[in-house]
Amino acid sequence: MRSRDALEVAAERSRVSLRDRLDRLRALGPTLVLGALAAGVSWEIARHVVGGRGAFFAPVAAIISLGLTVGARLERAIELMVGVALGIALADVLVLELGSGLPQLVAIVLLATALAVFLGGGPLLVNQMAVSAILVVTLQPPTNGLSFSRAADALIGCGVTLVLNFVILPIDPVRLARQEAEPVLRELAGVLDDVAAALGARDPDGARAALVRARAIDAHTQRFLEALTIGRETAAAAPQRRSARGPLAVYSEAGGQLDLAVRNVRVLARGAMRAIDVGDRVPPGVVEAVGELREAVACLDPWLGDPARSAAVVDPAVRAARRASAVLEQTSNLSVSVIVGQIRSTAVDLLRSTGMAPDEARARIRGTVAPGI
């Protein structure tokens, strides 16, 4: 039986992993298409405008800068453009003076990184100047005299990526945020389901599995927060995405609080596991409170699409906190106190994710604010 159970668990994990990979492939599909387009367009432009031996650096720079412009700040993308072009130009000059070889490679990389530091660049500029210089020295050292055509190729590649990414084919910031929020909410609700089931059945293995699942949400949360950063930058830089700034503000408000909720639920799962392991009695009201917390999380997804539906999140979150607090009148064991504390904290996080002020959220949990306020 144990072997069969282990095989079933392994098969389930494999299915989950495959689903996550397919979801990630679908999420990154537009970026992959954009990268292919950027490489082809930049190569064609550089080949006809600048010329040279194949315009090798244009598509390379386009692909390198795409990874940054899609996942980080616009100003850092510009810093990368400078690093690529400057590194190539510097290496061209130094290779003509020093030649190519092992000593020259060491010296050129040292000079390129030292110049980047002197210019006040961050790790990105330093690394990119070094990489660009290495490409010149090892793959295409200049042979026909000094020419900055390859630096121009790099600028063309980066420029094409920026234009495609922010002007011609900008991503839909709201769709991206919603897409990355969904797995966070799905897994958070799932963990709360698992915790409630484990507490109700006093199942130590179920509690441990819930804790493992809770820890795995961090990767989803990080992608969601990155999506918010990407979305805000795209809405600011892409003219046709300016209208997304309002909806994105809702997602941004929820993002930081969801991160806190994930952390509190992780502690909640750990508290449930401990309560079961030490044999502490957990009243049924706690299980019911966790279930209501799960209902509030499940209602966050439709609320993100329609902020007028905040009551669907607020009401079950408040009920969960108050029901859990009432349990403390029945028992005072430490395990239950920890669980109740995390239910209340998570409820506050969920209330604040709807834009509620901290004082009002805490007051609602205590029952000192009228529901219609």
Side-chain angles (χ1 to χ4, degrees), residues 20 32 74 89 91 145 147 181 198 211 252:
D20 288 343
L32 301 181
L74 178 60
S147 171
L211 178 58
S252 297

Side-chain angles (χ1 to χ4, degrees), residues 316-349:
V318 171
R319 288 198 305 269
R322 293 183 185 177
R323 189 185 298 274
S325 298
V327 169
L328 293 179
E329 299 175 3
Q330 307 171 29
T331 181
S332 59
N333 73 60
L334 180 60
S335 295
V336 171
S337 297
V338 170
I339 294 172
V340 168
Q342 294 311 126
I343 291 174
R344 289 171 59 93
S345 296
T346 305
V348 170
D349 294 334

Side-chain angles (χ1 to χ4, degrees), residues 82-101:
V82 174
V84 170
L86 192 56
I88 292 172
L90 178 65
D92 276 343
V93 173
L94 293 176
V95 167
L96 286 173
E97 293 296 324
L98 303 177
S100 59

Side-chain angles (χ1 to χ4, degrees), residues 45 162 169 232 264 286 326 373:
I45 292 175
L162 288 174
L169 295 172
R232 286 192 295 267
N264 280 318
V286 171
I373 195 170

Side-chain angles (χ1 to χ4, degrees), residues 234-245:
T234 303
Q240 59 267 57
R241 298 301 187 193
R242 299 286 171 83
S243 61
R245 287 180 289 185

Side-chain angles (χ1 to χ4, degrees), residues 3-23:
S3 298
R4 187 161 57 209
D5 290 344
L7 287 173
E8 289 176 355
V9 170
E12 179 61 25
R13 288 178 178 174
S14 176
R15 285 193 292 271
V16 171
S17 176
L18 178 60
R19 182 183 64 191
D20 288 343
R21 292 175 186 178
L22 289 174
D23 287 345

Side-chain angles (χ1 to χ4, degrees), residues 108-326:
I108 290 171
V109 170
L110 177 59
L111 289 171
T113 52
L115 177 60
V117 172
F118 176 77
L119 293 175
L124 176 64
L125 181 63
V126 174
N127 292 338
Q128 200 50 58
M129 284 190 65
V131 170
S132 301
I134 290 169
L135 288 175
V136 171
V137 176
T138 59
L139 292 182
Q140 283 196 339
T143 56
N144 298 321
L146 183 61
S147 171
F148 292 105
S149 62
R150 291 183 300 185
D153 288 345
L155 287 174
I156 289 172
C158 293
V160 165
T161 295
L162 288 174
V163 170
L164 283 174
N165 201 45
F166 291 105
V167 179
I168 299 177
L169 295 172
I171 59 171
D172 183 340
V174 177
R175 181 182 177 187
L176 177 65
R178 190 178 188 87
Q179 186 174 268
E180 295 299 341
E182 190 277 332
V184 177
L185 298 174
R186 182 190 67 225
E187 289 303 299
L188 190 58
V191 169
L192 290 168
D193 270 338
D194 294 346
V195 169
L199 285 172
R202 301 198 63 78
D203 177 10
D205 291 335
R208 289 187 180 86
L211 178 58
V212 171
R213 187 176 183 182
R215 288 171 174 163
I217 301 177
D218 284 346
H220 297 299
T221 305
Q222 185 60 36
R223 286 203 290 270
F224 176 44
L225 297 177
E226 289 174 356
L228 291 175
T229 299
I230 298 166
R232 286 192 295 267
E233 291 168 357
T234 303
Q240 59 267 57
R241 298 301 187 193
R242 299 286 171 83
S243 61
R245 287 180 289 185
L248 274 176
V250 175
Y251 280 88
S252 297
E253 184 76 34
Q257 297 304 317
L258 274 180
D259 187 25
L260 294 176
V262 167
R263 299 182 192 187
N264 280 318
V265 168
R266 186 163 59 238
V267 179
L268 171 61
R270 189 180 300 116
M273 185 179 71
R274 181 187 181 280
I276 295 171
D277 285 344
V278 302
D280 283 343
R281 177 180 175 274
V282 179
V286 171
V287 178
E288 294 170 3
V290 174
E292 289 175 327
L293 209 57
R294 187 263 180 209
E295 180 186 345
V297 171
C299 290
L300 269 173
D301 185 51
W303 170 81
L304 285 168
D306 181 10
R309 303 172 63 176
S310 61
V313 178
V314 171
D315 293 346
V318 171
R319 288 198 305 269
R322 293 183 185 177
R323 189 185 298 274
S325 298

